[in-house]
Amino acid sequence: MEFAKIEKAGLLTTVQDLGRHSYQAFGVSACGAMDTLALRLANILAGNSEDEAVLEATVIGPRIRFLNEGVIAVTGGGFSISLNEKPVSMWKSLLVKEGDVLSFGNSTYGCRAYIAFAGGIDVPLVMGSRSTFIRGSYGGFEGRPLKNGDIIKTGNSRLDSRRVAGRKLKSDDIPDYQTQRPIRVVLGPHNGKFTNEAIQTLVSSSYKVSNNSDRMGYRLEGPSLQHVSKADIISEFITPGVIQVPANGQPIVHMADAGTSGGYTVIGVVISVDLPCLAQKKPGDEIQFEIIDVEDAQQLFCRQEQLLSDLQLANLAIPSR
């Protein structure tokens, strides 16, 4: 069904889901949403399964005209949004009708918003995912960011849209992107290749996200992290969250479009529950790191998954058409 028309595409608006994770052994990037938590919550609010494709908007959101009635949900950073020029809330299921227009204002914090449509975005699957990989020109909407005039098609909603509309998250369940807090990391696997001073510097210093950052990786600017000898290693598997440190000592955090192997030493890995917070950082923002144990990271992950499971169960209690 033709559900929406992109009147203004915004700065970088792409179709994303949870990524393609079955082809990394063949050198294919996982891609997917930068902030997977916001994507999953947007889908739950819209009555979808968590892995449906949505729109990921960056810094400047799109202007969208709806061609049919349905339900949408917008999550992510602190954007102001309007429906027919009247302010509406994020983190809430919204009923839209034919001719309605969704528009975005400025973001007071964060830089990415996620727009879910009931039924999910209907674009072809490429290697099991609808995510856009711009560098490879495949996936999503013709392998590119959206442009003015594009028509978004959706699948069939699995729930009664009018019963879903109006649902919202409790304030305690909304991710906190505004409070400045450390990004937690698990050390390794090459922390032994760094001096003790480098480990202390990592957790005691602030790093700024450089302008030379994108969906592939965040290059950070700050105190140099010194190696015991050399920065180069035989290339190993890498994944989103990996913190590589090249010879210049400036950390690089790999993000959603990360490659699948790399030849720089890895001082640590950002834990999965903190990657969404990191993904909302934009160039110029400062971050700090905190080291935690694997067991603590696993407990945090289980807590997050339990919340998502509870919210999805609440969805299942809504009668279908």
Side-chain angles (χ1 to χ4, degrees):
M1 176 179 71
E2 292 189 350
F3 182 67
K5 180 179 181 179
I6 305 299
E7 293 193 334
K8 292 184 179 180
L11 182 62
L12 178 65
T13 303
T14 58
V15 176
Q16 301 293 343
D17 58 18
L18 293 179
R20 47 183 66 85
H21 297 277
S22 300
Y23 297 87
Q24 289 171 286
F26 305 102
V28 177
S29 297
C31 309
M34 287 281 280
D35 181 347
T36 55
L37 179 59
L39 176 143
R40 295 169 72 184
L41 289 169
N43 270 323
I44 290 172
L45 286 168
N48 297 332
S49 61
E50 295 175 31
D51 58 352
E52 289 287 358
V54 308
L55 296 184
E56 177 184 88
T58 309
V59 181
I60 299 174
R63 177 183 170 92
I64 302 173
R65 181 176 296 275
F66 297 102
L67 308 177
N68 280 287
E69 180 178 300
V71 167
I72 68 168
V74 184
T75 63
F79 289 83
S80 59
I81 61 172
S82 299
L83 192 63
N84 301 326
E85 300 185 355
K86 295 180 180 179
V88 290
S89 298
M90 296 178 61
W91 307 101
K92 181 179 180 179
S93 304
L94 302 171
L95 180 67
V96 296
K97 299 180 179 179
E98 181 181 352
D100 285 352
V101 176
L102 177 73
S103 56
F104 282 73
N106 296 327
S107 173
T108 54
Y109 57 87
C111 64
R112 290 181 171 84
Y114 293 85
I115 310 158
F117 307 127
I121 296 176
D122 184 13
V123 293
L125 284 167
V126 178
M127 290 178 280
S129 170
R130 293 180 169 85
S131 286
T132 308
F133 185 45
I134 297 173
R135 291 173 182 267
S137 299
Y138 61 79
F141 201 99
E142 301 176 359
R144 59 167 172 80
L146 296 184
K147 60 184 181 182
N148 298 354
D150 284 341
I151 301 296
I152 301 298
K153 296 181 180 180
T154 60
N156 295 322
S157 176
R158 62 177 186 163
L159 299 176
D160 186 334
S161 296
R162 288 185 175 271
R163 294 290 299 275
V164 172
R167 297 176 70 232
K168 60 182 180 181
L169 291 184
K170 295 186 295 185
S171 58
D172 290 346
D173 294 336
I174 296 174
D176 181 5
Y177 301 117
Q178 195 167 8
T179 301
Q180 187 69 17
R181 59 177 179 80
I183 300 297
R184 292 163 290 192
V185 304
V186 174
L187 279 181
H190 307 133
N191 52 299
K193 295 183 178 294
F194 294 87
T195 65
N196 291 333
E197 291 76 14
I199 304 298
Q200 290 301 315
T201 298
L202 178 71
V203 298
S204 63
S205 305
S206 292
Y207 287 87
K208 183 180 294 185
V209 179
S210 79
N211 290 326
N212 190 21
S213 298
D214 56 19
R215 281 180 46 90
M216 187 173 185
Y218 281 7
R219 293 182 178 271
L220 306 183
E221 299 172 344
S224 178
L225 302 176
Q226 298 300 315
H227 299 84
V228 172
S229 56
K230 296 187 298 184
D232 295 338
I233 58 171
I234 297 174
S235 290
E236 293 185 359
F237 175 76
I238 59 175
T239 188
V242 160
I243 306 173
Q244 283 187 322
V245 184
N248 65 5
Q250 299 297 291
I252 303 170
V253 185
H254 289 265
M255 302 301 286
D257 285 354
T260 58
S261 64
Y264 294 136
T265 45
V266 175
I267 196 170
V269 182
V270 176
I271 67 173
S272 58
V273 299
D274 278 4
L275 272 175
C277 183
L278 182 59
Q280 292 291 348
K281 301 294 185 183
K282 56 186 178 295
D285 286 349
E286 291 193 351
I287 63 173
Q288 292 180 312
F289 293 107
E290 175 185 331
I291 297 171
I292 69 170
D293 295 330
V294 171
E295 293 77 13
D296 292 332
Q298 291 170 335
Q299 289 180 8
L300 291 166
F301 176 78
C302 290
R303 192 181 307 163
Q304 173 185 280
E305 294 306 299
Q306 184 62 59
L307 167 64
L308 291 165
S309 177
D310 291 345
L311 292 172
Q312 195 61 269
L313 285 173
N315 256 353
L316 295 176
I318 300 173
S320 60
R321 293 179 185 273

